[in-house]
PDB file of all heavy atoms in Angstrom:
ATOM      1  N   LEU M 163     -82.404  29.722-101.902  1.00 83.00           N
ATOM      2  CA  LEU M 163     -83.048  28.415-101.998  1.00 83.00           C
ATOM      3  C   LEU M 163     -82.442  27.602-103.135  1.00 83.00           C
ATOM      4  O   LEU M 163     -82.232  26.389-103.009  1.00 83.00           O
ATOM      5  CB  LEU M 163     -84.550  28.594-102.217  1.00 83.00           C
ATOM      6  CG  LEU M 163     -85.402  27.326-102.323  1.00 83.00           C
ATOM      7  CD1 LEU M 163     -85.218  26.441-101.094  1.00 83.00           C
ATOM      8  CD2 LEU M 163     -86.870  27.694-102.506  1.00 83.00           C
ATOM      9  N   LEU M 164     -82.126  28.243-104.245  1.00 86.00           N
ATOM     10  CA  LEU M 164     -81.470  27.549-105.356  1.00 86.00           C
ATOM     11  C   LEU M 164     -80.120  26.990-104.910  1.00 86.00           C
ATOM     12  O   LEU M 164     -79.736  25.884-105.309  1.00 86.00           O
ATOM     13  CB  LEU M 164     -81.277  28.517-106.530  1.00 86.00           C
ATOM     14  CG  LEU M 164     -82.554  28.990-107.242  1.00 86.00           C
ATOM     15  CD1 LEU M 164     -82.223  30.089-108.240  1.00 86.00           C
ATOM     16  CD2 LEU M 164     -83.239  27.830-107.941  1.00 86.00           C
ATOM     17  N   GLY M 165     -79.404  27.744-104.093  1.00 82.00           N
ATOM     18  CA  GLY M 165     -78.132  27.249-103.581  1.00 82.00           C
ATOM     19  C   GLY M 165     -78.316  26.029-102.697  1.00 82.00           C
ATOM     20  O   GLY M 165     -77.535  25.064-102.772  1.00 82.00           O
ATOM     21  N   ARG M 166     -79.338  26.041-101.871  1.00 80.00           N
ATOM     22  CA  ARG M 166     -79.604  24.901-100.987  1.00 80.00           C
ATOM     23  C   ARG M 166     -79.954  23.655-101.787  1.00 80.00           C
ATOM     24  O   ARG M 166     -79.546  22.544-101.434  1.00 80.00           O
ATOM     25  CB  ARG M 166     -80.766  25.251-100.060  1.00 80.00           C
ATOM     26  CG  ARG M 166     -80.416  26.270 -98.982  1.00 80.00           C
ATOM     27  CD  ARG M 166     -81.071  25.859 -97.705  1.00 80.00           C
ATOM     28  NE  ARG M 166     -80.924  26.827 -96.637  1.00 80.00           N
ATOM     29  CZ  ARG M 166     -80.972  26.499 -95.361  1.00 80.00           C
ATOM     30  NH1 ARG M 166     -81.124  25.231 -95.015  1.00 80.00           N
ATOM     31  NH2 ARG M 166     -80.854  27.415 -94.433  1.00 80.00           N
ATOM     32  N   ILE M 167     -80.727  23.825-102.859  1.00 82.00           N
ATOM     33  CA  ILE M 167     -81.204  22.667-103.623  1.00 82.00           C
ATOM     34  C   ILE M 167     -80.112  22.105-104.524  1.00 82.00           C
ATOM     35  O   ILE M 167     -79.872  20.892-104.558  1.00 82.00           O
ATOM     36  CB  ILE M 167     -82.439  23.054-104.469  1.00 82.00           C
ATOM     37  CG1 ILE M 167     -83.601  23.465-103.566  1.00 82.00           C
ATOM     38  CG2 ILE M 167     -82.866  21.902-105.369  1.00 82.00           C
ATOM     39  CD1 ILE M 167     -84.786  24.055-104.325  1.00 82.00           C
ATOM     40  N   TYR M 168     -79.443  22.997-105.264  1.00 81.00           N
ATOM     41  CA  TYR M 168     -78.580  22.525-106.351  1.00 81.00           C
ATOM     42  C   TYR M 168     -77.085  22.574-106.037  1.00 81.00           C
ATOM     43  O   TYR M 168     -76.280  22.080-106.824  1.00 81.00           O
ATOM     44  CB  TYR M 168     -78.869  23.345-107.618  1.00 81.00           C
ATOM     45  CG  TYR M 168     -80.280  23.137-108.122  1.00 81.00           C
ATOM     46  CD1 TYR M 168     -81.253  24.116-107.966  1.00 81.00           C
ATOM     47  CD2 TYR M 168     -80.650  21.941-108.727  1.00 81.00           C
ATOM     48  CE1 TYR M 168     -82.553  23.924-108.413  1.00 81.00           C
ATOM     49  CE2 TYR M 168     -81.948  21.734-109.171  1.00 81.00           C
ATOM     50  CZ  TYR M 168     -82.885  22.727-109.007  1.00 81.00           C
ATOM     51  OH  TYR M 168     -84.178  22.517-109.449  1.00 81.00           O
ATOM     52  N   PHE M 169     -76.693  23.163-104.917  1.00 78.00           N
ATOM     53  CA  PHE M 169     -75.273  23.231-104.568  1.00 78.00           C
ATOM     54  C   PHE M 169     -75.034  22.737-103.150  1.00 78.00           C
ATOM     55  O   PHE M 169     -74.120  23.199-102.461  1.00 78.00           O
ATOM     56  CB  PHE M 169     -74.752  24.675-104.746  1.00 78.00           C
ATOM     57  CG  PHE M 169     -74.688  25.103-106.179  1.00 78.00           C
ATOM     58  CD1 PHE M 169     -75.808  25.629-106.810  1.00 78.00           C
ATOM     59  CD2 PHE M 169     -73.519  24.973-106.915  1.00 78.00           C
ATOM     60  CE1 PHE M 169     -75.765  26.015-108.137  1.00 78.00           C
ATOM     61  CE2 PHE M 169     -73.466  25.357-108.246  1.00 78.00           C
ATOM     62  CZ  PHE M 169     -74.589  25.886-108.859  1.00 78.00           C
ATOM     63  N   HIS M 170     -75.845  21.787-102.734  1.00 70.00           N
ATOM     64  CA  HIS M 170     -75.704  21.220-101.397  1.00 70.00           C
ATOM     65  C   HIS M 170     -74.645  20.127-101.389  1.00 70.00           C
ATOM     66  O   HIS M 170     -74.665  19.220-102.222  1.00 70.00           O
ATOM     67  CB  HIS M 170     -77.036  20.652-100.918  1.00 70.00           C
ATOM     68  CG  HIS M 170     -76.934  19.932 -99.603  1.00 70.00           C
ATOM     69  ND1 HIS M 170     -76.599  20.582 -98.434  1.00 70.00           N
ATOM     70  CD2 HIS M 170     -77.116  18.618 -99.283  1.00 70.00           C
ATOM     71  CE1 HIS M 170     -76.582  19.710 -97.453  1.00 70.00           C
ATOM     72  NE2 HIS M 170     -76.882  18.516 -97.932  1.00 70.00           N
ATOM     73  N   ASP M 171     -73.725  20.226-100.470  1.00 63.00           N
ATOM     74  CA  ASP M 171     -72.692  19.205-100.285  1.00 63.00           C
ATOM     75  C   ASP M 171     -72.941  18.538 -98.935  1.00 63.00           C
ATOM     76  O   ASP M 171     -72.792  19.174 -97.886  1.00 63.00           O
ATOM     77  CB  ASP M 171     -71.303  19.835-100.311  1.00 63.00           C
ATOM     78  CG  ASP M 171     -70.191  18.784-100.299  1.00 63.00           C
ATOM     79  OD1 ASP M 171     -70.474  17.624 -99.911  1.00 63.00           O
ATOM     80  OD2 ASP M 171     -69.051  19.131-100.657  1.00 63.00           O
ATOM     81  N   PRO M 172     -73.336  17.256 -98.922  1.00 58.00           N
ATOM     82  CA  PRO M 172     -73.668  16.600 -97.653  1.00 58.00           C
ATOM     83  C   PRO M 172     -72.496  16.505 -96.690  1.00 58.00           C
ATOM     84  O   PRO M 172     -72.691  16.293 -95.493  1.00 58.00           O
ATOM     85  CB  PRO M 172     -74.134  15.200 -98.100  1.00 58.00           C
ATOM     86  CG  PRO M 172     -73.559  15.014 -99.463  1.00 58.00           C
ATOM     87  CD  PRO M 172     -73.498  16.370-100.078  1.00 58.00           C
ATOM     88  N   LEU M 173     -71.252  16.682 -97.186  1.00 57.00           N
ATOM     89  CA  LEU M 173     -70.088  16.608 -96.306  1.00 57.00           C
ATOM     90  C   LEU M 173     -69.890  17.893 -95.500  1.00 57.00           C
ATOM     91  O   LEU M 173     -69.184  17.892 -94.508  1.00 57.00           O
ATOM     92  CB  LEU M 173     -68.816  16.315 -97.129  1.00 57.00           C
ATOM     93  CG  LEU M 173     -68.807  14.974 -97.878  1.00 57.00           C
ATOM     94  CD1 LEU M 173     -67.517  14.834 -98.670  1.00 57.00           C
ATOM     95  CD2 LEU M 173     -68.962  13.811 -96.898  1.00 57.00           C
ATOM     96  N   LEU M 174     -70.519  18.990 -95.999  1.00 55.00           N
ATOM     97  CA  LEU M 174     -70.395  20.256 -95.291  1.00 55.00           C
ATOM     98  C   LEU M 174     -71.488  20.382 -94.240  1.00 55.00           C
ATOM     99  O   LEU M 174     -72.602  19.903 -94.416  1.00 55.00           O
ATOM    100  CB  LEU M 174     -70.499  21.428 -96.285  1.00 55.00           C
ATOM    101  CG  LEU M 174     -69.399  21.526 -97.350  1.00 55.00           C
ATOM    102  CD1 LEU M 174     -69.680  22.684 -98.295  1.00 55.00           C
ATOM    103  CD2 LEU M 174     -68.026  21.700 -96.701  1.00 55.00           C
ATOM    104  N   LYS M 175     -71.158  21.016 -93.151  1.00 56.00           N
ATOM    105  CA  LYS M 175     -72.132  21.179 -92.081  1.00 56.00           C
ATOM    106  C   LYS M 175     -73.100  22.325 -92.353  1.00 56.00           C
ATOM    107  O   LYS M 175     -74.211  22.332 -91.860  1.00 56.00           O
ATOM    108  CB  LYS M 175     -71.407  21.411 -90.747  1.00 56.00           C
ATOM    109  CG  LYS M 175     -70.596  20.213 -90.281  1.00 56.00           C
ATOM    110  CD  LYS M 175     -69.943  20.489 -88.926  1.00 56.00           C
ATOM    111  CE  LYS M 175     -69.147  19.279 -88.473  1.00 56.00           C
ATOM    112  NZ  LYS M 175     -68.513  19.524 -87.143  1.00 56.00           N
ATOM    113  N   ARG M 176     -72.642  23.312 -93.156  1.00 62.00           N
ATOM    114  CA  ARG M 176     -73.518  24.453 -93.458  1.00 62.00           C
ATOM    115  C   ARG M 176     -74.354  24.162 -94.703  1.00 62.00           C
ATOM    116  O   ARG M 176     -73.970  23.355 -95.542  1.00 62.00           O
ATOM    117  CB  ARG M 176     -72.690  25.728 -93.676  1.00 62.00           C
ATOM    118  CG  ARG M 176     -71.973  26.200 -92.419  1.00 62.00           C
ATOM    119  CD  ARG M 176     -71.310  27.551 -92.653  1.00 62.00           C
ATOM    120  NE  ARG M 176     -72.279  28.604 -92.933  1.00 62.00           N
ATOM    121  CZ  ARG M 176     -72.931  29.285 -91.994  1.00 62.00           C
ATOM    122  NH1 ARG M 176     -72.724  29.012 -90.712  1.00 62.00           N
ATOM    123  NH2 ARG M 176     -73.776  30.235 -92.315  1.00 62.00           N
ATOM    124  N   PRO M 177     -75.507  24.844 -94.831  1.00 64.00           N
ATOM    125  CA  PRO M 177     -76.340  24.651 -96.020  1.00 64.00           C
ATOM    126  C   PRO M 177     -75.607  25.057 -97.289  1.00 64.00           C
ATOM    127  O   PRO M 177     -74.697  25.895 -97.263  1.00 64.00           O
ATOM    128  CB  PRO M 177     -77.543  25.568 -95.762  1.00 64.00           C
ATOM    129  CG  PRO M 177     -77.527  25.831 -94.299  1.00 64.00           C
ATOM    130  CD  PRO M 177     -76.096  25.773 -93.872  1.00 64.00           C
ATOM    131  N   GLY M 178     -76.016  24.476 -98.410  1.00 68.00           N
ATOM    132  CA  GLY M 178     -75.414  24.823 -99.682  1.00 68.00           C
ATOM    133  C   GLY M 178     -75.743  26.254-100.086  1.00 68.00           C
ATOM    134  O   GLY M 178     -76.805  26.781 -99.762  1.00 68.00           O
ATOM    135  N   THR M 179     -74.815  26.897-100.776  1.00 76.00           N
ATOM    136  CA  THR M 179     -75.022  28.267-101.254  1.00 76.00           C
ATOM    137  C   THR M 179     -74.574  28.355-102.705  1.00 76.00           C
ATOM    138  O   THR M 179     -73.708  27.587-103.150  1.00 76.00           O
ATOM    139  CB  THR M 179     -74.233  29.292-100.422  1.00 76.00           C
ATOM    140  OG1 THR M 179     -72.830  28.968-100.496  1.00 76.00           O
ATOM    141  CG2 THR M 179     -74.680  29.283 -98.973  1.00 76.00           C
ATOM    142  N   LEU M 180     -75.148  29.302-103.421  1.00 76.00           N
ATOM    143  CA  LEU M 180     -74.698  29.545-104.784  1.00 76.00           C
ATOM    144  C   LEU M 180     -73.292  30.120-104.755  1.00 76.00           C
ATOM    145  O   LEU M 180     -73.015  31.044-103.975  1.00 76.00           O
ATOM    146  CB  LEU M 180     -75.630  30.541-105.483  1.00 76.00           C
ATOM    147  CG  LEU M 180     -77.042  30.074-105.839  1.00 76.00           C
ATOM    148  CD1 LEU M 180     -77.832  31.239-106.432  1.00 76.00           C
ATOM    149  CD2 LEU M 180     -77.026  28.904-106.797  1.00 76.00           C
ATOM    150  N   PRO M 181     -72.372  29.600-105.569  1.00 78.00           N
ATOM    151  CA  PRO M 181     -71.073  30.267-105.692  1.00 78.00           C
ATOM    152  C   PRO M 181     -71.272  31.726-106.080  1.00 78.00           C
ATOM    153  O   PRO M 181     -72.261  32.071-106.731  1.00 78.00           O
ATOM    154  CB  PRO M 181     -70.379  29.466-106.809  1.00 78.00           C
ATOM    155  CG  PRO M 181     -71.062  28.141-106.810  1.00 78.00           C
ATOM    156  CD  PRO M 181     -72.478  28.399-106.410  1.00 78.00           C
ATOM    157  N   GLN M 182     -70.325  32.575-105.696  1.00 73.00           N
ATOM    158  CA  GLN M 182     -70.497  34.017-105.914  1.00 73.00           C
ATOM    159  C   GLN M 182     -70.775  34.336-107.377  1.00 73.00           C
ATOM    160  O   GLN M 182     -71.670  35.137-107.694  1.00 73.00           O
ATOM    161  CB  GLN M 182     -69.242  34.759-105.445  1.00 73.00           C
ATOM    162  CG  GLN M 182     -69.342  36.276-105.528  1.00 73.00           C
ATOM    163  CD  GLN M 182     -70.361  36.859-104.584  1.00 73.00           C
ATOM    164  OE1 GLN M 182     -70.405  36.482-103.428  1.00 73.00           O
ATOM    165  NE2 GLN M 182     -71.195  37.769-105.062  1.00 73.00           N
ATOM    166  N   TYR M 183     -70.033  33.719-108.301  1.00 78.00           N
ATOM    167  CA  TYR M 183     -70.222  34.044-109.713  1.00 78.00           C
ATOM    168  C   TYR M 183     -71.579  33.554-110.218  1.00 78.00           C
ATOM    169  O   TYR M 183     -72.213  34.204-111.066  1.00 78.00           O
ATOM    170  CB  TYR M 183     -69.084  33.463-110.563  1.00 78.00           C
ATOM    171  CG  TYR M 183     -69.151  31.969-110.779  1.00 78.00           C
ATOM    172  CD1 TYR M 183     -69.758  31.427-111.913  1.00 78.00           C
ATOM    173  CD2 TYR M 183     -68.595  31.078-109.856  1.00 78.00           C
ATOM    174  CE1 TYR M 183     -69.819  30.058-112.111  1.00 78.00           C
ATOM    175  CE2 TYR M 183     -68.658  29.721-110.044  1.00 78.00           C
ATOM    176  CZ  TYR M 183     -69.265  29.209-111.172  1.00 78.00           C
ATOM    177  OH  TYR M 183     -69.333  27.846-111.368  1.00 78.00           O
ATOM    178  N   VAL M 184     -72.062  32.424-109.678  1.00 83.00           N
ATOM    179  CA  VAL M 184     -73.381  31.926-110.071  1.00 83.00           C
ATOM    180  C   VAL M 184     -74.477  32.827-109.500  1.00 83.00           C
ATOM    181  O   VAL M 184     -75.452  33.162-110.183  1.00 83.00           O
ATOM    182  CB  VAL M 184     -73.589  30.475-109.601  1.00 83.00           C
ATOM    183  CG1 VAL M 184     -75.010  29.995-109.932  1.00 83.00           C
ATOM    184  CG2 VAL M 184     -72.562  29.561-110.250  1.00 83.00           C
ATOM    185  N   ASN M 185     -74.293  33.253-108.253  1.00 79.00           N
ATOM    186  CA  ASN M 185     -75.276  34.148-107.641  1.00 79.00           C
ATOM    187  C   ASN M 185     -75.375  35.458-108.415  1.00 79.00           C
ATOM    188  O   ASN M 185     -76.475  35.953-108.686  1.00 79.00           O
ATOM    189  CB  ASN M 185     -74.885  34.433-106.192  1.00 79.00           C
ATOM    190  CG  ASN M 185     -75.860  35.362-105.497  1.00 79.00           C
ATOM    191  OD1 ASN M 185     -76.981  34.996-105.164  1.00 79.00           O
ATOM    192  ND2 ASN M 185     -75.442  36.599-105.281  1.00 79.00           N
ATOM    193  N   ASN M 186     -74.225  36.012-108.796  1.00 75.00           N
ATOM    194  CA  ASN M 186     -74.231  37.254-109.565  1.00 75.00           C
ATOM    195  C   ASN M 186     -74.858  37.060-110.938  1.00 75.00           C
ATOM    196  O   ASN M 186     -75.547  37.940-111.451  1.00 75.00           O
ATOM    197  CB  ASN M 186     -72.812  37.798-109.713  1.00 75.00           C
ATOM    198  CG  ASN M 186     -72.273  38.342-108.406  1.00 75.00           C
ATOM    199  OD1 ASN M 186     -73.016  38.628-107.481  1.00 75.00           O
ATOM    200  ND2 ASN M 186     -70.954  38.461-108.322  1.00 75.00           N
ATOM    201  N   LEU M 187     -74.627  35.875-111.532  1.00 83.00           N
ATOM    202  CA  LEU M 187     -75.202  35.590-112.843  1.00 83.00           C
ATOM    203  C   LEU M 187     -76.719  35.458-112.752  1.00 83.00           C
ATOM    204  O   LEU M 187     -77.460  36.062-113.537  1.00 83.00           O
ATOM    205  CB  LEU M 187     -74.601  34.300-113.406  1.00 83.00           C
ATOM    206  CG  LEU M 187     -74.992  33.914-114.837  1.00 83.00           C
ATOM    207  CD1 LEU M 187     -74.513  34.979-115.815  1.00 83.00           C
ATOM    208  CD2 LEU M 187     -74.395  32.556-115.208  1.00 83.00           C
ATOM    209  N   VAL M 188     -77.188  34.676-111.787  1.00 86.00           N
ATOM    210  CA  VAL M 188     -78.630  34.482-111.612  1.00 86.00           C
ATOM    211  C   VAL M 188     -79.317  35.810-111.294  1.00 86.00           C
ATOM    212  O   VAL M 188     -80.397  36.106-111.809  1.00 86.00           O
ATOM    213  CB  VAL M 188     -78.903  33.450-110.496  1.00 86.00           C
ATOM    214  CG1 VAL M 188     -80.380  33.430-110.119  1.00 86.00           C
ATOM    215  CG2 VAL M 188     -78.466  32.058-110.944  1.00 86.00           C
TER     216      VAL M 188
END
């Protein structure tokens, strides 16, 4: 959900996701 909210790119067709290093950090 954090990836969807804070890493969403409207140009991409898929939902936003946390970058791997951010996901591992969180």
Side-chain angles (χ1 to χ4, degrees):
L163 181 56
L164 292 172
R166 288 220 186 205
I167 297 172
Y168 296 106
F169 291 85
H170 174 65
D171 187 341
L173 298 179
L174 296 177
K175 294 182 180 181
R176 294 187 64 84
T179 59
L180 290 176
Q182 184 66 46
Y183 75 94
V184 176
N185 180 72
N186 289 342
L187 186 63
V188 169

